[in-house]
Amino acid sequence: MLNTVKGVKDVFDSDLELFRFIENTFVKISQKFGYSEIRTPIIEYTELFKRGIGETTDIVEKEMFTMADSKGRTISLRPENTAGVVRAYIEHGLFNNAGLSKFFYIGPMFRRERPQAGRLRQFHQIGCEVFGANSAMLDAEVIIYAAQLLENLKIASANFEIQISSVGCENCRPQYNKKLVDYLTAEKNKLCETCNIRIYKNPLRVLDCKEERCQSVIVAAPKIIENLCDDCNIFFEELQGFLKIANIDYQINKRLVRGLDYYTGTVFEFVCKEGLGAQNTILAGGRYNNLVKQLGGPHTPAVGWAAGIERLILALTNNKSDIKNIENPVKKIFIVIDKTIKKQGFEIFCNLRNNGIDINCDYECKSFKSQFRLANKLKYRYVLILGEEEAKNENIKLKDFDCGCETIIKLSELTTKLKNL
Ligand code: ATP
Ligand code: MG
């Protein structure tokens, strides 16, 4: 017996309908906000993630699935999609296009993490990346876009909080880093082993550590949001002004740091208040003004976010069986065909389908009793019955299981009659 690999899942039936519902809702909203879809490969050169996400992040240090490619290069399954979209943006010279480039994406991501509720090794994200403007108005827009998505998914706004912060820019971050290193060095005995290394390699990462023993040090650490330069402060104020205009409720989370190195300025997370346990961040993102340049393109300010589909499903507060019906309209007709006239039956079956009727059959023309049993099991309300007698008279019988009534319909009028059911 062969099973799935640890931490991955098959998606089908009602779970798949929830995926579809989320994806379709996301596509509709994306179009409304002027985003176009981009599909990048799930494999990229490992170097892209090292340079993009950061060598000393958890993702790159221990969570990537990496394999050898020819000529000594390695490739990795993408752990997130910002780096890939930025690579595509540069590779295709999209910065030459007029105006902003606004992309949305949907697809699987891969991280070697300990599997648990809301945490998988292959998970799925929907997300967006916008290139070409350094503006608080744009940051507000991507947050509004995310909020509208959740509203359309009917995730109650009372059940999540929008947390925002700023992680500063190349002007204020170095000074803050120094302050942070000084503080952490003084407290280093209280920190875990990994954080002791992080202090010198990537001090901001300490603030994201999940180890129990590091928490008291993290809580009292200097906050980047209290050490911003004037430009970053003004930008952050402006963002809040725009969010207020759009009636978006938000909280400033002074301890918000993201697990990826590329962020500058605005960062945000949509955090569920209950039901998701420790995996309560459903959507996260921020601004990354230096990444395009860092990966070899011209200086291009950018902002984006990503949400985990599996976590959105956990957060759905509406009746999940209703969603099933929206995404999968009731199967309409089942046709029972007499074995002796299966050619004629198949012709009618094909014609009805070509005329837009949702139709099914048993494909084996077993006994009438067995075909009826299948129609019942599959919960069909309407069953067409093509027996020898009906076929001879160019007729077909329609049975409605709700009322138990039967009607004889002329084959020439069948499509019209079925469409009017
Ligand atoms: P976490 O703190 O939960 O590990 P993260 O900061 O690593 O999240 P991001 O890299 O910001 O997550 O990814 C954005 C979103 O993708 C998350 O908010 C979450 O909804 C989803 N996500 C991330 N990792 C996983 C995973 N292993 N399984 C399922 N969903 C995930
Ligand atoms: Mg993570």
Side-chain angles (χ1 to χ4, degrees):
M1 209 5 224
L2 289 173
N3 300 324
T4 54
V5 167
K6 184 178 170 187
V8 306
K9 273 189 178 158
D10 298 312
V11 185
F12 56 100
D13 274 356
S14 53
D15 279 348
L16 189 77
E17 275 152 17
L18 295 172
F19 265 74
R20 273 266 168 87
F21 167 65
I22 290 172
E23 292 171 6
N24 292 347
T25 307
F26 179 54
V27 171
K28 270 185 229 148
I29 294 183
S30 300
Q31 283 160 351
K32 176 172 149 191
F33 277 80
Y35 287 75
S36 58
E37 187 175 3
I38 184 162
R39 297 186 189 187
T40 58
I42 58 168
I43 46 172
E44 299 274 1
Y45 287 117
T46 308
E47 205 187 326
L48 172 71
F49 302 118
K50 283 191 178 167
R51 280 169 55 193
I53 300 168
E55 294 242 30
T56 53
T57 57
D58 281 358
I59 292 178
V60 170
E61 270 183 346
K62 55 186 191 198
E63 294 175 1
M64 286 204 298
F65 290 95
T66 296
M67 59 209 117
D69 190 27
S70 53
K71 296 181 194 148
R73 265 179 124 173
T74 64
I75 51 179
S76 297
L77 295 179
R78 62 184 185 192
E80 57 94 66
N81 209 24
T82 303
V85 175
V86 171
R87 195 244 336 114
Y89 177 79
I90 299 168
E91 187 167 340
H92 304 290
L94 302 180
F95 42 81
N96 291 317
N97 295 350
L100 303 187
S101 296
K102 298 167 83 171
F103 294 112
F104 76 89
Y105 60 80
I106 302 173
M109 308 295 155
F110 305 84
R111 295 185 195 176
R112 196 195 302 271
E113 298 192 80
R114 192 169 69 77
Q116 50 199 293
R119 195 177 292 290
L120 292 145
R121 291 188 166 182
Q122 176 179 336
F123 60 102
H124 300 80
Q125 283 186 340
I126 53 178
C128 70
E129 313 293 347
V130 188
F131 301 94
N134 183 31
S135 112
M137 195 188 283
L138 178 60
D139 293 8
E141 191 200 70
V142 300
I143 293 173
I144 296 164
Y145 167 42
Q148 277 206 16
L149 170 71
L150 298 208
E151 191 183 316
N152 279 260
L153 295 177
K154 302 201 174 56
I155 296 177
S157 60
N159 196 29
F160 67 87
E161 194 171 88
I162 301 177
Q163 303 181 350
I164 63 169
S165 190
S166 170
V167 293
C169 66
E170 57 278 14
N171 297 324
C172 44
R173 186 95 68 86
Q175 251 172 323
Y176 166 75
N177 265 355
K178 215 162 146 272
K179 208 168 176 174
L180 183 62
V181 171
D182 288 347
Y183 167 81
L184 294 173
T185 309
E187 303 284 334
K188 66 189 287 183
N189 294 335
K190 295 184 195 159
L191 293 171
C192 72
E193 253 175 66
T194 325
C195 281
N196 267 283
I197 301 166
R198 284 179 179 138
I199 298 180
Y200 307 103
K201 274 173 124 185
N202 194 345
L204 261 184
R205 287 275 66 78
V206 174
L207 304 179
D208 209 21
C209 184
K210 306 287 187 294
E211 288 288 322
E212 191 55 43
R213 62 178 292 190
C214 298
Q215 296 313 310
S216 64
V217 180
I218 294 172
V219 172
K223 316 276 185 290
I224 175 77
I225 189 87
E226 289 164 355
N227 290 276
L228 297 177
C229 61
D230 289 349
D231 285 351
C232 283
N233 266 322
I234 293 168
F235 195 101
F236 192 56
E237 284 298 320
E238 235 192 327
L239 168 63
Q240 294 178 65
F242 289 127
L243 291 177
K244 281 178 188 140
I245 290 168
N247 286 320
I248 300 283
D249 281 331
Y250 62 86
Q251 304 291 321
I252 297 172
N253 178 355
K254 292 186 176 182
R255 292 181 50 205
L256 187 60
V257 276
R258 307 272 312 110
L260 311 99
D261 282 349
Y262 49 64
Y263 289 112
T264 54
T266 311
V267 288
F268 54 88
E269 286 191 356
F270 286 46
V271 182
C272 257
K273 290 182 190 158
E274 53 191 68
L276 273 82
Q279 279 63 252
N280 59 353
T281 302
I282 43 179
L283 183 151
R287 177 160 281 285
Y288 49 94
N289 284 349
N290 301 326
L291 186 58
V292 178
K293 182 144 192 211
Q294 205 176 302
L295 292 177
H299 175 75
T300 311
V303 60
W305 54 253
I309 296 184
E310 287 83 356
R311 289 197 200 169
L312 288 171
I313 288 175
L314 292 173
L316 287 175
T317 34
N318 48 356
N319 188 342
K320 291 184 189 175
S321 56
D322 286 352
I323 290 170
K324 191 174 165 173
N325 289 337
I326 304 170
E327 292 310 304
N328 190 8
V330 277
K331 298 184 197 107
K332 280 243 171 80
I333 315 282
F334 190 94
I335 182 166
V336 168
I337 302 166
D338 187 315
K339 198 179 196 133
T340 59
I341 46 168
K342 55 173 145 178
K343 279 189 184 165
Q344 202 180 339
F346 188 62
E347 193 183 352
I348 294 170
F349 180 88
C350 292
N351 281 339
L352 287 174
R353 181 168 281 158
N354 287 342
N355 285 314
I357 305 291
D358 190 345
I359 188 153
N360 195 7
C361 68
D362 83 337
Y363 293 93
E364 291 180 307
C365 303
K366 288 186 179 163
S367 71
F368 267 28
K369 197 171 154 197
S370 147
Q371 293 188 54
F372 271 112
R373 208 183 301 128
L374 181 62
N376 270 322
K377 263 196 199 152
L378 297 177
K379 298 197 165 63
Y380 278 90
R381 176 177 166 182
Y382 297 106
V383 173
L384 285 171
I385 303 142
L386 186 70
E388 270 186 294
E389 193 57 31
E390 288 91 2
K392 218 185 291 163
N393 299 323
E394 300 277 307
N395 284 333
I396 198 161
K397 200 187 282 172
L398 176 72
K399 185 165 173 129
D400 179 347
F401 273 98
D402 269 15
C403 61
C405 36
E406 293 183 357
T407 34
I408 300 288
I409 301 174
K410 278 201 187 114
L411 282 180
S412 57
E413 292 167 4
L414 185 58
T415 306
T416 330
K417 287 260 160 72
L418 294 181
K419 281 197 168 161
N420 291 331
L421 279 177

